[in-house]
């Protein structure tokens, strides 16, 4: 059983997966390659002068892989509770994980099918979002949400930060204590 399955490899999902993989958690990202970030030009991302959306997404995936996370291109068709975790069904097979992070951008159909509570969105063109608490938890214990689908601004820097925030909360729950990831400058 995996520790974490992240659904979506846009900025929120890849950022979440980067942190969970770097923390040594068995991490799998399932992505349908339909992120709206692939149509973006980004000049408002801290630490980056400018970057195309496709390049930002590719770098995010490389970072996940660098720390041992796996990325599978597929479409998730269902999430269901099994034992102490969840079965995540895809067009190409099923996976089991202790925790699931939904980072599906504008798309809530899968989450609604899995019984997650939604509410009206607040961003332009985002009609429906998942109802999450301050930690990123949904109404189903063990399923979390990050990024635009969780109601944060569609800006890549905001969704990436939200993915990281939710991942730290998931890692903390898995570890049983607050997790902090501080890299230090190498001498």
């Amino acid at each position: 059983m995996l520790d974490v399955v992240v659904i979506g490899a846009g900025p929120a999902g890849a950022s979440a997966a980067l942190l969970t993989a770097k923390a040594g958690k068995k991490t799998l990202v399932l992505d349908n390659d339909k992120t709206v970030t692939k149509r973006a030009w980004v000049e408002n991302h801290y630490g980056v002068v400018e970057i195309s959306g496709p390049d930002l997404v590719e770098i995010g995936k490389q970072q996940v892989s660098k720390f041992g996370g796996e990325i599978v291109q597929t479409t998730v068709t269902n999430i269901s509770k099994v034992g102490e975790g969840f079965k995540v069904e895809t067009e190409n097979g099923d996976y089991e994980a202790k925790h699931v992070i939904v980072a599906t951008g504008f798309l809530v159909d899968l989450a609604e099918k899995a019984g997650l509570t939604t509410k009206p969105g607040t961003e332009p063109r985002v009609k429906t979002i998942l109802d999450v608490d301050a930690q990123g938890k949904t109404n189903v214990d063990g399923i979390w949400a990050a990024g635009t689908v969780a109601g944060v601004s569609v800006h890549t820097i905001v969704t990436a930060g939200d993915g990281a925030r939710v991942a730290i909360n998931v890692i903390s729950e898995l570890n049983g204590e607050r997790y902090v990831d501080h890299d230090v400058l190498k001498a």
Side-chain angles (χ1 to χ4, degrees), residues 94-133:
D94 301 342
Y95 303 91
E96 289 190 9
K98 296 173 188 168
H99 293 269
V100 175
I101 300 174
V102 177
T104 54
F106 289 53
L107 307 175
V108 296
D109 294 353
L110 171 68
E112 288 177 323
K113 182 178 177 183
L116 303 183
T117 303
T118 60
K119 63 184 182 182
T122 56
E123 289 288 300
R125 297 181 300 280
V126 181
K127 294 181 181 175
T128 307
I129 59 173
L130 298 181
D131 191 7
V132 298
D133 70 8

Side-chain angles (χ1 to χ4, degrees), residues 44-170:
N44 59 353
H45 202 107
Y46 176 79
V48 177
V49 175
E50 60 188 33
I51 190 168
S52 73
D55 286 344
L56 184 65
V57 169
E58 184 56 34
I59 290 168
K61 289 178 180 180
Q62 289 171 11
Q63 289 175 301
V64 171
S65 296
K66 173 185 176 181
F67 293 109
E70 183 182 355
I71 300 169
V72 174
Q73 187 170 328
T74 189
T75 298
V76 176
T77 56
N78 197 31
I79 307 166
S80 57
K81 183 80 174 142
V82 292
E84 296 296 312
F86 299 91
K87 179 167 79 169
V88 181
E89 300 170 46
T90 77
E91 293 176 337
N92 304 96
D94 301 342
Y95 303 91
E96 289 190 9
K98 296 173 188 168
H99 293 269
V100 175
I101 300 174
V102 177
T104 54
F106 289 53
L107 307 175
V108 296
D109 294 353
L110 171 68
E112 288 177 323
K113 182 178 177 183
L116 303 183
T117 303
T118 60
K119 63 184 182 182
T122 56
E123 289 288 300
R125 297 181 300 280
V126 181
K127 294 181 181 175
T128 307
I129 59 173
L130 298 181
D131 191 7
V132 298
D133 70 8
Q135 303 298 308
K137 293 181 178 185
T138 69
N139 61 299
V140 176
D141 191 35
I143 300 181
W144 308 67
T148 303
V149 76
V152 302
S153 172
V154 299
H155 296 88
T156 61
I157 194 161
V158 177
T159 60
D162 194 55
R165 178 187 66 83
V166 171
I168 287 171
N169 293 331
V170 172

Side-chain angles (χ1 to χ4, degrees), residues 6-24:
V6 179
I7 303 171
S15 185
L18 162 63
L19 284 174
T20 59
K22 190 169 184 270

